[in-house]
Amino acid sequence: MKYFYSEIDEITLTFGDIHFNSYGMEYIRIYFERPNDSGFDFLESNLPALEIKKSFGFNDEEIKNLLEYARNNAFLIWEIARENEKGAENFAANM
């Protein structure tokens, strides 16, 4: 599932559910998108590593700034993802 987090200067940040890598460590995929004339510029990364998975249309300075924004807001993103995870567990338990 994707969750909306913020929109600044026509750049939208969304993120997905909490996942586990092959070592059992948690991570969250994060996505930045900006409309352009032929579709979207995008940047896909993850928390906590902030590795660039895919990118198109953003220059190096923009990528640096977007990853810094994600780093500065990581605590809130994790908090929202955990709340949504608990809400889904509670919903399933009550069915």
Side-chain angles (χ1 to χ4, degrees):
M1 178 174 250
K2 269 193 176 179
Y3 306 103
F4 174 79
Y5 181 68
S6 66
E7 185 169 14
I8 298 173
D9 297 330
E10 295 186 24
I11 299 172
T12 302
L13 168 60
T14 59
F15 59 93
D17 292 323
I18 297 171
H19 297 278
F20 293 89
N21 67 17
S22 60
Y23 301 105
M25 303 293 293
E26 294 179 325
Y27 71 95
I28 299 174
R29 289 186 184 111
I30 59 173
Y31 309 89
F32 292 94
E33 295 180 339
R34 171 178 62 195
N36 64 30
D37 293 338
S38 60
F40 287 91
D41 299 327
F42 65 88
L43 171 64
E44 180 181 337
S45 185
N46 59 26
L47 289 173
L50 293 172
E51 300 167 328
I52 298 170
K53 298 296 185 180
K54 296 179 188 173
S55 176
F56 174 81
F58 289 112
N59 65 39
D60 290 342
E61 185 67 23
E62 289 173 317
I63 290 172
K64 178 184 163 209
N65 291 334
L66 292 172
L67 294 177
E68 183 67 24
Y69 179 80
R71 180 179 293 110
N72 291 340
N73 289 276
F75 177 78
L76 294 172
I77 294 169
W78 280 101
E79 187 174 301
I80 293 167
R82 291 210 188 283
E83 286 176 8
N84 289 330
E85 188 177 65
K86 289 177 187 171
E89 289 172 3
N90 290 337
F91 179 77
N94 290 320
M95 290 190 77

